[in-house]
Amino acid sequence: MIKGYGVFCDADRYFYDTPHRIWAGSGASGTVGERDRVFDRAEWPAPEGWQRNRSGDWLALRPVEHRLPNQGWKIHVSSCLDNAESVLARVWDYCVERTVSFKFVPTRYLLHNRNAKYADRGGSGKFITVYPTDDQCASVAADLDALVGGEPGPYILSDLRWNAGPVHLRYGSFTRRHCYDEHGDPVPALENDEGVLVPDQRGPAFHVPEWVTVPDFLRPHLQARDAVDVTGLPYDIERALHFSNGGGVYAGRDRRTGEPVVLKEARPHAGLAADGADAVHRLAQERTALERLSGLACTPEVKDSFTLGEHHFLVMEFIHGKPLNSYFAHRHPLVEADPAPEVLREYGRWAMRLHGLVEEAIEAVHARGIVFNDLHLFNIMVSEDESSVVLLDFEVARDIGEGSRQTVANPGFVAPRGRRGFDVDLYALACLRLALFLPLTNVLAVDRSKARHLAEEAARVFPEAREFLELGVAEILRDPDGAAGAGASARKGRTSVSDEPGPYPPVEPGDWPRSRDSMVRAILASATPDREDRYFPGDITQFTTPGGGLSFGYGTAGVLYALAESGAARCPEAEQWLVRHSKEPDSGTPLGFFDGLSGLAWTLHRLGHRDASLALAELVMEQPWEGLGPGLHGGTAGIGLALDSLGTGIGESELHAGALRCAELAADGFLAAAPERRRAGLLHGGAGVALLCLRLYERTGDTALLDLADRTLRADLDRCVTSAFGTLQVDEGWRTMPYLGEGSVGVGIVLDDYLEHRSDEVFERARPGIVGAARSGFYAQPGLFRGLAGMVLYLSRTTAPGPGTEAAQVRRQIDALTRYAMRYRGHLAFPGEQLMRLSMDLSTGTAGCLLALAAAQSEQPARLPFLPPLRRTQNRPLPWSGTNE
């Protein structure tokens, strides 16, 4: 799981939404109880002569006549949930009395999120931020320490702690300024000693910019920080295995015996679980549980424990083997395009045998009176000979007598709220039955009744596992009182299975145009026209990037484009919303195509809003482009393509000139980078640069542009490797990627366009391997750029010869989208990134699936921007079995 997604699940049952909407009076539906309580001071009016402003997770207060410095030493104050009210009241009174600007997190829920186990480690612990001037900083820090010093609160990893805390300091930006990082992405900025904006580093370690001198008043605190080290321990720490906000997990070795060990770290007051327990409390729970389980072959032995500084450590037996999740990529037959029947049968036998071993392990743990409470694919270690398993990570394991609820869980295995005790583990074991065959159980967080459909889809491929899978479904849908769950239930003690009656899927994705009409109805039903941040729900990027809710990749612009390209009726209300919000885009909105202003300008022009489009294009032309990355997503390649298209549509030669300038910057920036630092693929790599060069060559006839396309495509192919199954994929060092956005298929889609103009033996040889990468039997997600929909679009467009692009093969991938199909108000919809919520956007969700399916129909196939349909191979049939509009 990408850690950032979990906190965007609480505000809405169906869609990712920003956590700060869970605030009384915010308009968010539902509450989360006491932990959602607003701090008293957050409801106070601004003091006389002050102004207050709500921004994201923060409530800021500033004297009206006071202007913040752009940057300097800022003060952060941390707290726990129980002392937050008191700490805030004292800091508030102090700052107001001395007219010092400050901001704070206004609710218990948001503070809990900042300190939660999978919170961003760089921002963790920050409850109050105080903005003194340079002259004030030493005295303000000392005064605040006198006021709240010694109050419990998490150590802020990005800062230098003052004495024993909770006061911390770091040098950083005070105001909202942006520059571009090494990848060309917009990030918060500082001004260096030469007056140049550079990234404000906000990682989980204290960092002082090289041009800044640490003031004398901070040196004693820096020395105290540096005095803590690991040299006196009897263990060598060899490598980090995992980090969370609660601490790290490390592989090490006992110096006295040479024995390999695992050291698990816990930070006090940090890494909170749902019940507020911190990492130190859970580490103690883990030791208690493991000591009760000592002697079992399926659990690790405790070796030692110690405290270093304030961090607690548990030393455990090192378990040899591989986690169960790693076997999917190497063993699961659906990573191939056409696995043999015997291969499928053999895998089915293996999966059921492994599940039996895990079940036996859980039974052994239960026999000692312990509930594991966190069973999932990553917490099961399989021995090298695959004959045994060991369960890992007992930090939320509890005695059966406590009857407590689950407080930490993997999203694909989290039990319904009504389950307690052994029932929690039985639910996870049932999810494991499905996940071993189709690891898509994250979607159960949206609709638990989807379990039956997942089992049916898995049984189509693995028929001998049908009964095994059906047992899992029965347990997943079972109510806590033991009855079989069949639908939504409000009776005491029961939890809802589904509020969406009807079959799965509501329409087969391949049933065009019925599937189009159903997806369009789902998209329109999800609209939130009264919101200022977005019109259609999508990825969390809507909230983590300025202007994300408007953008082509994740917001309104991309959805409107997909509706228009698929032949759906226009949505004038959404168009007007986009026009209105594009007039004054948020500060820091990127310039790029998929993430920013150039994509908005291009979309508005296509929709007929010429004046709004031209105004945005002029704004883009006025900005400096030199710091941008070269890519199509947010860099100069995407900007250049938008400007060139607008130049043709509007008749502005200046825009054509800007496009040529973008091509120069994109090609120079990409080719000048060291090969190991280049990204590959359509959105961020050489393929996007090549696409710009190809479109400009077609307009100008300048063969030098075709040569640049050749070089950048060749650089991307140099980053590709051939898998054991003969597929060509981008090698990212720790994984290989086949996808349209960041993988080999995105390279292949531009190779097809290049070969329309110039033959090349190397490029032709690469195409069959890329086609193979698009024919796999399983992808983790349905989305356009990181999932199956992108494969459908590519296979329906490519002119690559040979097996794999026939109508039947394209149809097979279209039919495979059924596995991910969800219901929204009775209509066809798809989950977004990480599968924990639905998405309607182009990059990750339903609009992208709509566009891909529309690209596979015959009369007027839809297209990705700047990638029009190519000349189809002679007499090539299309995958639709019915008629097309």
Side-chain angles (χ1 to χ4, degrees):
M1 177 181 71
I2 296 177
K3 296 173 185 176
Y5 280 81
V7 298
F8 288 87
C9 291
D10 284 347
D12 192 282
R13 174 180 168 185
Y14 290 103
F15 301 107
Y16 294 119
D17 208 344
T18 179
H20 69 251
R21 285 186 62 81
I22 303 182
W23 185 352
S26 70
S29 60
T31 62
V32 289
E34 169 62 17
R35 66 176 179 146
D36 184 35
R37 188 168 59 80
V38 179
F39 296 127
D40 290 342
R41 293 295 174 108
E43 298 185 308
W44 281 24
E48 185 177 354
W50 286 64
Q51 62 184 13
R52 54 181 271 158
N53 177 59
R54 175 80 183 274
S55 178
D57 286 0
W58 296 99
L59 181 60
L61 287 100
R62 179 173 65 85
V64 174
E65 301 299 326
H66 180 64
R67 185 178 183 276
L68 284 179
N70 285 324
Q71 61 195 54
W73 288 95
K74 63 175 71 174
I75 300 171
H76 289 119
V77 181
S78 67
S79 81
C80 298
L81 297 176
D82 293 341
N83 65 333
E85 289 273 17
S86 171
V87 170
L88 175 58
R90 282 176 276 172
V91 174
W92 172 298
D93 292 342
Y94 175 87
C95 290
V96 169
E97 181 179 343
R98 290 160 180 79
T99 63
V100 180
S101 298
F102 67 102
K103 68 179 181 180
F104 62 95
V105 176
T107 75
R108 283 176 61 91
Y109 169 73
L110 292 174
L111 181 59
H112 181 282
N113 273 356
R114 285 195 163 264
N115 295 332
K117 180 175 180 179
Y118 288 115
D120 171 32
R121 296 169 67 229
S124 174
K126 296 173 183 177
F127 173 39
I128 306 171
T129 305
V130 180
Y131 298 99
T133 64
D134 287 346
D135 293 339
Q136 293 175 311
C137 188
S139 61
V140 171
D143 290 347
L144 290 176
D145 182 61
L147 278 175
V148 300
E151 286 280 357
Y155 192 113
I156 300 175
L157 296 173
S158 63
D159 288 25
L160 181 63
R161 185 167 65 175
W162 184 284
N163 292 331
V167 176
H168 301 72
L169 296 94
R170 69 176 287 266
Y171 191 92
S173 59
F174 284 18
T175 57
R176 187 177 296 179
R177 296 188 293 175
H178 293 84
C179 67
Y180 299 100
D181 65 11
E182 60 181 356
H183 301 300
D185 297 325
V187 293
L190 292 170
E191 185 177 316
N192 68 13
D193 54 346
E194 297 177 349
V196 177
L197 291 179
V198 298
D200 181 7
Q201 297 188 28
R202 298 182 174 185
F206 179 60
H207 167 81
V208 181
E210 59 184 13
W211 69 90
V212 174
T213 301
V214 175
D216 290 341
F217 68 85
L218 287 179
R219 292 195 176 278
H221 309 288
L222 186 60
Q223 292 168 359
R225 173 185 176 275
D226 293 341
V228 178
D229 60 40
V230 298
T231 55
L233 295 178
Y235 304 100
D236 288 321
I237 296 177
E238 298 177 338
R239 68 186 189 279
L241 300 174
H242 172 71
F243 282 110
S244 74
N245 191 34
V249 180
Y250 310 92
R253 194 167 296 275
D254 190 323
R255 294 175 185 166
R256 299 161 296 189
T257 65
E259 178 186 12
V261 293
V262 168
L263 299 94
K264 188 168 186 177
E265 175 190 26
R267 301 200 303 122
H269 315 303
L272 304 184
D275 61 352
D278 71 357
V280 172
H281 178 82
R282 293 200 307 279
L283 195 70
Q285 284 186 169
E286 181 159 18
R287 177 171 185 167
T288 298
L290 288 177
E291 287 176 343
R292 280 184 58 178
L293 298 169
S294 180
L296 292 181
C298 60
T299 60
E301 294 291 332
V302 172
K303 298 291 185 181
D304 191 9
S305 64
F306 61 89
T307 302
L308 180 65
E310 298 172 8
H311 293 204
H312 295 241
F313 288 82
L314 184 64
V315 184
M316 294 173 284
E317 172 189 8
F318 184 93
I319 303 299
H320 295 276
K322 292 187 292 188
L324 183 54
N325 69 291
S326 69
Y327 281 86
F328 190 88
H330 302 294
R331 178 183 278 274
H332 201 292
L334 291 187
V335 299
E336 298 184 57
D338 298 299
E342 179 51 37
V343 173
L344 295 172
R345 287 192 292 270
E346 193 280 330
Y347 177 82
R349 291 190 292 267
W350 178 88
M352 290 187 282
R353 180 177 65 81
L354 258 291
H355 186 275
L357 293 176
V358 176
E359 201 165 30
E360 289 172 5
I362 289 294
E363 289 171 356
V365 170
H366 287 181
R368 299 275 182 101
I370 296 293
V371 182
F372 187 25
N373 264 331
D374 193 21
L375 179 70
H376 56 81
L377 289 165
F378 296 79
N379 280 355
I380 301 165
M381 188 70 76
V382 181
S383 64
E384 295 291 349
D385 64 1
E386 302 178 4
S387 65
S388 62
V389 298
V390 174
L391 305 178
L392 305 178
D393 200 355
F394 280 77
E395 65 178 44
V396 291
R398 306 292 281 270
D399 185 279
I400 183 59
E402 295 183 31
S404 56
R405 66 185 180 89
Q406 199 171 22
T407 59
V408 171
N410 180 283
F413 295 78
V414 60
R417 287 183 177 273
R419 295 215 173 202
R420 297 287 190 275
F422 294 152
D423 266 359
V424 171
D425 291 344
L426 295 179
Y427 182 88
L429 279 168
C431 290
L432 183 62
R433 288 175 182 262
L434 272 62
L436 282 166
F437 290 92
L438 284 181
L440 301 175
T441 53
N442 279 15
V443 299
L444 303 184
V446 180
D447 186 356
R448 196 155 36 103
S449 68
K450 173 72 176 178
R452 181 173 288 111
H453 183 236
L454 288 179
E456 290 170 356
E457 288 295 309
R460 293 181 198 275
V461 183
F462 303 96
E464 73 285 347
R466 181 175 294 277
E467 183 178 352
F468 173 85
L469 294 163
E470 288 174 350
L471 287 172
V473 173
E475 178 63 33
I476 289 169
L477 300 184
R478 179 176 67 84
D479 289 321
D481 62 2
S489 174
R491 285 188 287 169
K492 184 177 180 181
R494 299 207 177 180
T495 56
S496 173
V497 174
S498 175
D499 291 335
E500 293 281 348
Y504 260 115
V507 180
E508 290 287 346
D511 186 5
W512 188 271
R514 288 186 64 235
S515 59
R516 176 197 64 189
D517 297 341
S518 187
M519 284 185 280
V520 169
R521 285 192 291 269
I523 289 170
L524 296 179
S526 74
T528 55
D530 295 333
R531 288 182 61 156
E532 295 297 310
D533 55 348
R534 72 166 192 215
Y535 196 94
F536 298 107
D539 190 65
I540 68 171
T541 307
Q542 292 186 333
F543 313 110
T544 59
T545 300
L550 283 66
S551 68
F552 192 88
Y554 310 99
T556 309
V559 174
L560 291 175
Y561 174 78
L563 293 175
E565 278 290 298
S566 67
R570 294 180 66 161
C571 184
E573 297 85 357
E575 291 183 26
Q576 290 303 319
W577 185 96
L578 185 61
V579 170
R580 186 170 68 254
H581 286 79
S582 296
K583 289 180 179 178
E584 294 185 10
D586 291 345
S587 173
T589 298
L591 303 180
F593 187 85
F594 282 91
D595 64 353
L597 300 181
S598 61
L600 297 181
W602 184 85
T603 305
L604 288 170
H605 182 263
R606 284 185 62 89
L607 296 173
H609 303 284
R610 175 184 160 89
D611 291 344
S613 170
L614 188 56
L616 285 174
E618 290 173 350
L619 182 58
V620 172
M621 290 287 288
E622 292 169 0
Q623 306 304 309
W625 302 334
E626 283 71 17
L628 289 169
L632 175 63
H633 182 272
T636 45
I639 295 173
L641 283 160
L643 294 179
D644 195 59
S645 176
L646 288 170
T648 300
I650 297 174
E652 293 281 348
S653 60
E654 183 182 359
L655 297 177
H656 283 315
L660 289 169
R661 171 66 176 147
C662 282
E664 179 184 354
L665 290 170
D668 287 350
F670 179 77
L671 294 171
E676 64 273 11
R677 295 183 65 83
R678 294 174 186 156
R679 299 175 74 177
L682 179 65
L683 293 184
H684 303 286
V689 179
L691 182 60
L692 171 59
C693 293
L694 285 170
R695 298 289 90 98
L696 291 175
Y697 162 73
E698 290 166 353
R699 182 174 61 80
T700 66
D702 183 355
T703 57
L705 290 163
L706 200 55
D707 294 339
L708 282 174
D710 175 283
R711 292 180 63 193
T712 52
L713 282 170
R714 213 169 291 275
D716 269 13
L717 284 180
D718 287 344
R719 289 287 308 279
C720 293
V721 295
T722 302
S723 74
F725 308 108
T727 65
L728 200 66
Q729 301 191 30
V730 170
D731 183 5
E732 293 191 337
W734 62 286
R735 63 180 178 181
T736 59
M737 295 287 277
Y739 298 114
L740 178 62
E742 300 175 54
S744 56
V745 166
V747 180
I749 204 168
V750 182
L751 278 181
D752 290 342
D753 287 59
Y754 179 91
L755 291 168
E756 294 281 301
H757 300 292
R758 182 187 287 173
S759 61
D760 186 283
E761 184 179 352
V762 172
F763 291 174
E764 286 287 1
R765 285 202 306 267
R767 292 215 283 178
I770 295 172
V771 168
R775 295 182 59 232
S776 175
F778 179 82
Y779 299 94
Q781 301 181 138
L784 184 64
F785 289 128
R786 286 168 57 89
L788 178 56
M791 308 311 184
V792 170
L793 189 146
Y794 166 73
L795 290 174
S796 65
R797 180 184 186 272
T798 185
T799 54
T805 62
E806 305 91 341
Q809 298 295 328
V810 181
R811 180 69 196 207
R812 186 182 71 166
Q813 296 298 59
I814 289 172
D815 290 341
L817 275 171
T818 300
R819 295 171 182 164
Y820 313 89
M822 301 293 288
R823 298 181 298 220
Y824 182 66
R825 298 192 179 178
H827 309 306
L828 177 61
F830 289 91
E833 194 80 11
Q834 303 299 301
L835 307 180
M836 293 186 287
R837 290 293 185 269
L838 304 181
S839 170
M840 298 301 176
D841 71 31
L842 184 91
S843 289
T844 73
T846 306
C849 294
L850 171 64
L851 185 70
L853 291 170
Q857 57 90 26
S858 61
E859 294 296 326
Q860 291 182 317
R863 65 188 72 186
L864 271 177
F866 321 116
L867 284 162
L870 299 173
R871 298 190 302 271
R872 295 188 182 274
T873 54
Q874 188 174 9
N875 299 322
R876 176 177 168 186
L878 286 161
W880 304 109
S881 57
T883 59
N884 293 283
E885 288 189 337

